[in-house]
Amino acid sequence: MGVSVTDGVLHSSSCWNGGKGTSGAVIQYGVPYITKLLTTLTLTAADGIPVHLDDINRDPGRARGCARDADDRAVLESVAGQKGVYTDPDEIVLFTDDYKFPVPKPGLDPTVTTEDDPGFEVVLDSTDKVTAAHAGRGGTTAAEQVKVPSGGRILQGVGAGATWLRDHATVGTKVAVGQKLRDAVYAGISGYGMYAK
């Protein structure tokens, strides 16, 4: 439902809200306050080619609660059966090792077709080196379930995101994951911002 971060670790990205971010409570240096938080997520391949990273720890092609960037489109409530479902056919989503479920397979939501794309999946070790890369998401067989390795991460892409991963995140290379959380209201005062793993 928007940005979540604890101890400098991002668990999800902010809502887009026209580039204004997510309203939220922050406790910084023991002092709580309400502000707007905005995440900037990127991937940069070993060849120097960057790409936008859409979110963390959620099904590629389908966001719940709010749009995560300007490319997300709302699904009618009459179609999705609930409010606040958004789609984007071209995404890359990062899964961290605190994601305690098997990473998603295509076709989890019968009302959203953008997440049906078999896509592409990349496994990173603790140094962000690509240790595995293959077509498909969530396992190569119907029965297989894939979890994020301890200390590692998994990238899943659909549409153009899958193409970028296939072309740039090759086994043996490193992918730099950039994650920045910015206080969109008080940035000039507190300078609140961080890079997180």
Side-chain angles (χ1 to χ4, degrees):
M1 300 299 289
V3 67
S4 171
V5 60
T6 53
D7 298 325
V9 177
L10 280 168
H11 308 290
S12 63
S13 69
S14 64
C15 295
W16 174 241
N17 193 22
K20 297 176 185 172
T22 302
S23 293
V26 174
I27 299 175
Q28 186 177 27
Y29 311 117
V31 179
Y33 65 97
I34 305 295
T35 190
K36 295 258 188 194
L37 300 171
L38 187 62
T39 50
T40 304
L41 308 174
T42 59
L43 292 176
T44 306
D47 58 12
I49 305 296
V51 70
H52 171 70
L53 179 61
D54 291 271
D55 208 345
I56 303 170
N57 295 334
R58 64 118 168 123
D59 194 5
R62 179 191 187 276
R64 289 184 58 229
C66 63
R68 297 313 200 275
D69 59 32
D71 296 326
D72 289 354
R73 299 291 174 249
V75 178
L76 293 174
E77 184 179 355
S78 60
V79 174
Q82 59 183 298
K83 291 182 181 179
V85 176
Y86 294 81
T87 66
D88 182 351
D90 301 302
E91 289 196 320
I92 300 175
V93 173
L94 174 75
F95 293 87
T96 60
D97 67 353
D98 61 350
Y99 186 78
K100 298 303 180 191
F101 306 97
V103 293
K105 295 185 178 203
L108 293 178
D109 187 339
T111 66
V112 175
T113 59
T114 53
E115 63 93 49
D116 291 346
D117 184 344
F120 201 84
E121 188 169 270
V122 171
V123 180
L124 306 176
D125 69 10
S126 61
T127 67
D128 290 337
K129 182 179 178 180
V130 178
T131 60
H134 59 85
R137 299 185 289 123
T140 55
T141 68
E144 186 179 8
Q145 293 191 327
V146 177
K147 288 197 170 189
V148 181
S150 179
R153 300 191 266 195
I154 289 179
L155 294 163
Q156 286 190 344
V158 294
T163 301
W164 189 94
L165 289 175
R166 186 191 68 234
D167 293 348
H168 299 285
T170 55
V171 173
T173 65
K174 286 193 175 185
V175 177
V177 180
Q179 301 178 63
K180 186 173 184 181
L181 175 65
R182 183 171 60 90
D183 184 326
V185 175
Y186 297 105
I189 299 171
S190 67
Y192 187 79
M194 68 178 164
Y195 284 93
K197 181 174 181 185

